[in-house]
């Protein structure tokens, strides 16, 4: 089954309080208007087709789950997770 993704702006994702601590060198240089993809496992990637490359975030903590649901309104279709 193909993973479900939500495209969002990096600036919106950076609104998560713990984001700055995990930022790697390359992603710190990306502008806020960069489109990134939130995958159904709550990883954030640069491109949905090459999702194993360019992973920007992959820690599905309870705080991150709450941020994705509340701030980003991320809700995969029923039966996906």
């Amino acid at each position: 089954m193909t993973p479900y993704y939500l495209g969002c702006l990096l600036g919106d994702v950076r609104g998560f309080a713990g984001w700055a601590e995990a930022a790697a060198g390359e992603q710190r240089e990306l502008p806020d208007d960069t489109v990134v993809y939130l995958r159904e496992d709550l990883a954030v990637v640069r491109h949905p087709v090459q999702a194993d490359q360019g992973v920007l975030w992959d820690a599905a903590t309870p705080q991150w789950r709450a941020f994705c649901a509340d701030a980003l309104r991320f809700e995969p279709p029923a039966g996906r997770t």
Side-chain angles (χ1 to χ4, degrees), residues 30-44:
L30 296 173
D32 283 345
D33 63 352
T34 301
V35 175
V36 295
Y37 299 88
L38 180 57
R39 193 168 52 200
E40 63 190 339
D41 66 357
L42 302 182
V44 177

Side-chain angles (χ1 to χ4, degrees), residues 13-23 27 57 59 61 63-64 67:
V13 174
R14 285 176 171 156
F16 177 61
W19 185 266
E21 299 169 6
Q27 75 183 37
W57 178 269
T61 64
Q63 296 86 359
W64 177 244
F67 179 83

Side-chain angles (χ1 to χ4, degrees), residues 1-80:
M1 182 182 298
T2 304
Y4 178 79
Y5 292 89
L6 172 70
C8 45
L9 295 176
L10 183 56
D12 293 339
V13 174
R14 285 176 171 156
F16 177 61
W19 185 266
E21 299 169 6
E26 177 188 319
Q27 75 183 37
R28 287 184 184 153
E29 298 172 14
L30 296 173
D32 283 345
D33 63 352
T34 301
V35 175
V36 295
Y37 299 88
L38 180 57
R39 193 168 52 200
E40 63 190 339
D41 66 357
L42 302 182
V44 177
V45 296
R46 288 285 318 264
H47 194 281
V49 175
Q50 301 168 340
D52 292 337
Q53 301 171 3
V55 174
L56 302 178
W57 178 269
D58 67 353
T61 64
Q63 296 86 359
W64 177 244
R65 287 183 186 281
F67 179 83
C68 290
D70 298 339
L72 300 177
R73 305 279 187 229
F74 183 66
E75 186 176 327
R80 299 278 315 180

